């Protein structure tokens, strides 16, 4: 038995601060048209794909900040993506900054939507692990103010029936935390979609820079293997407003193997035919959660936030 889904990872190169939504959407539609020609069922775009990665700047004017957010999805500027999905018979994962008016308050999230081949939104995720800092830290070569500009996501890590399988979503820094994959693994996820914007340089820990690409693949390959799921990681890549972002977008099998990987730092589509049933042998044996896991031994993972060293 093989449930095949052909997946396109659509890496996106630098987006300038003053690039219009229309110009960016045109690039994304071009990648969708390439994907359709290569028989894709689903295209995965990066995190915050409609604009430059604006958390790299300290801003105080809320109107200036909110220019990077979408108040509706689709909007007139993003509607061409949904039209292309329907026209091409192609679903997509799209990362964007979401501004929501709810219970009389304005909420701002780092969000992704999962859109099916009819152009309907079938799932939404709001980023839970927000890295960086909330206040201006001028010592840094660039800021990473996700804790300032976004609220922690309130939708949890969910898995949806879509594209013939069980599809989950997360965003960027989420991929570094094993809990992310395991919560979806416990929902029998078969395909995890992840967009990211990852600078080579991490100002608080420059000694880590040389390992940026290694760590990127390490965490996604581990997540794939340890939860018997496909993982698609897609970069916003290249030198964006003077900040070098890693690329190496990739599609990873449940075996943990990288099946295909991007080789540029620009708009680049990579494609793989993925058999969702390839995970079955792992789910039935090594990672048969129902047979092998011991939740009573894991309570600390939920009860304790920060590490506490042993007493004595
Ligand atoms: N970016 C980075 C990421 O987790 C980061 C933040 C960079 C964390 C380097 C640790 C080291 O890939 C986002 N947007 O989360």
């Amino acid at each position: 038995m093989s449930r095949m889904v052909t997946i396109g990872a659509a890496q996106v190169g630098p987006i300038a601060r003053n690039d219009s939504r229309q110009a960016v959407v045109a690039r994304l539609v071009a990648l969708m048209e390439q994907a359709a020609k290569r028989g894709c069922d689903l295209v995965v775009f990066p995190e915050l794909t409609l604009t430059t990665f604006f958390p790299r700047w300290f801003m105080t004017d809320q109107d200036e900040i909110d220019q990077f957010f979408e108040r509706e999805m689709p909007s007139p500027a993003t509607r061409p993506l949904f039209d292309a999905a329907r026209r091409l018979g192609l679903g997509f994962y799209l990362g964007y900054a979401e501004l929501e008016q709810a219970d009389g308050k304005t909420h701002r999230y780092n969000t992704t939507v999962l859109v099916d081949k009819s152009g309907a939104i079938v799932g939404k995720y709001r980023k839970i692990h927000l890295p960086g800092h909330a206040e201006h830290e001028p010592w840094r070569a660039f800021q990473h103010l996700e804790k300032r500009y976004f609220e922690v996501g309130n939708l949890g890590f969910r898995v949806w029936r879509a594209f013939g399988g069980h599809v989950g979503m997360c965003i960027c820094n989420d991929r570094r935390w094993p809990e992310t994959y395991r919560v979806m693994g416990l929902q029998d996820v078969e395909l995890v979609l992840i967009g990211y914007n990852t600078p080579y340089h991490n100002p608080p820990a420059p000694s880590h820079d040389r390992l940026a690409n290694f760590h990127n693949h390490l965490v996604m390959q581990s997540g794939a293997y340890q939860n018997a799921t496909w993982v698609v990681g897609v970069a916003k890549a290249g030198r964006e407003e003077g900040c070098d972002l890693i690329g190496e977008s990739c599609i990873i099998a449940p075996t943990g193997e990288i099946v295909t990987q991007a080789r540029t730092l620009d708009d680049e589509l990579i494609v793989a035919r993925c058999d969702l049933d390839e995970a079955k042998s792992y789910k039935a044996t090594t990672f048969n959660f129902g047979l092998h896991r011991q939740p009573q031994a894991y309570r600390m993972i939920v009860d304790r936030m920060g590490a506490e060293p042993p007493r004595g």
Side-chain angles (χ1 to χ4, degrees):
M1 166 87 165
S2 292
R3 280 174 298 141
M4 303 306 292
V5 55
T6 303
I7 300 176
Q11 178 175 288
V12 175
I15 297 178
R17 180 171 189 155
N18 57 13
D19 277 347
S20 67
R21 295 287 193 286
Q22 287 73 9
V24 175
V25 166
R27 288 167 61 183
L28 305 185
V29 170
L31 285 161
M32 291 176 78
E33 285 167 349
Q34 276 184 54
K37 289 194 181 80
R38 296 178 64 180
C40 290
D41 301 300
L42 168 62
V43 172
V44 185
F45 290 116
E47 168 194 34
L48 293 175
T49 311
L50 296 175
T51 69
T52 196
F53 187 73
F54 63 89
R56 68 166 64 92
W57 296 301
F58 176 68
M59 295 175 275
T60 54
D61 178 300
Q62 196 61 57
D63 291 339
E64 180 184 13
I65 295 165
D66 286 353
Q67 287 172 356
F68 293 101
F69 284 77
E70 311 302 316
R71 286 163 176 70
E72 52 182 344
M73 185 56 68
S75 61
T78 52
R79 164 65 62 191
L81 294 167
F82 293 75
D83 294 344
R86 205 171 24 261
R87 170 165 51 86
L88 300 169
L90 188 60
F92 63 90
Y93 159 115
L94 179 77
Y96 65 97
E98 176 192 15
L99 188 151
E100 179 201 45
Q101 302 292 357
D103 44 80
K105 285 195 303 189
T106 302
H107 301 274
R108 295 175 180 82
Y109 301 104
N110 185 340
T111 296
T112 59
V113 286
L114 183 64
V115 177
D116 71 13
K117 295 184 176 186
S118 75
I121 293 178
V122 296
K124 175 185 274 192
Y125 170 72
R126 290 166 171 164
K127 187 174 183 179
I128 288 170
H129 296 97
L130 297 172
H133 48 107
E135 299 307 326
H136 191 204
E137 296 185 5
W139 59 269
R140 292 171 177 256
F142 46 84
Q143 306 298 297
H144 198 114
L145 289 161
E146 292 193 60
K147 291 185 191 298
R148 184 182 185 86
Y149 297 135
F150 303 119
E151 283 179 52
V152 171
N154 60 350
L155 302 177
F157 296 112
R158 289 187 53 201
V159 175
W160 294 272
R161 291 183 183 282
F163 303 96
H166 304 160
V167 183
M169 297 193 280
C170 68
I171 302 174
C172 206
N173 194 255
D174 290 320
R175 76 192 187 287
R176 299 182 191 275
W177 302 94
E179 295 89 344
T180 300
Y181 302 92
R182 184 48 49 88
V183 170
M184 289 189 272
L186 289 167
Q187 300 170 71
D188 198 31
V189 73
E190 298 171 319
L191 173 59
V192 176
L193 311 180
I194 311 175
Y196 57 87
N197 287 243
T198 301
Y200 275 106
H201 175 51
N202 188 19
S207 65
H208 302 179
D209 294 3
R210 68 179 184 84
L211 296 167
N213 280 311
F214 167 65
H215 287 156
N216 179 44
H217 286 167
L218 175 66
V219 293
M220 293 194 289
Q221 287 177 268
S222 303
Y225 168 62
Q226 290 169 337
N227 296 280
T229 178
W230 286 87
V231 171
V232 182
V234 187
K236 168 97 79 50
R239 172 158 295 198
E240 186 178 82
E241 296 291 341
C243 181
D244 287 311
L245 303 174
I246 68 170
E248 301 204 353
S249 303
C250 58
I251 298 174
I252 300 167
T255 59
E257 295 168 294
I258 293 177
V259 171
T260 184
Q261 178 177 324
R263 300 177 61 234
T264 73
L265 292 175
D266 217 323
D267 293 13
E268 179 181 350
L269 179 74
I270 56 173
V271 176
R273 276 182 60 66
C274 305
D275 178 1
L276 298 180
D277 287 320
E278 188 171 337
K280 284 205 179 312
S281 66
Y282 289 91
K283 289 179 191 276
T285 57
T286 311
F287 295 110
N288 183 330
F289 290 169
L291 197 57
H292 298 307
R293 291 185 72 248
Q294 298 295 336
Q296 75 285 352
Y298 312 150
R299 295 279 170 237
M300 197 179 286
I301 292 175
V302 172
D303 297 340
R304 188 177 291 188
M305 180 170 179
E308 295 171 20
R311 282 188 293 279

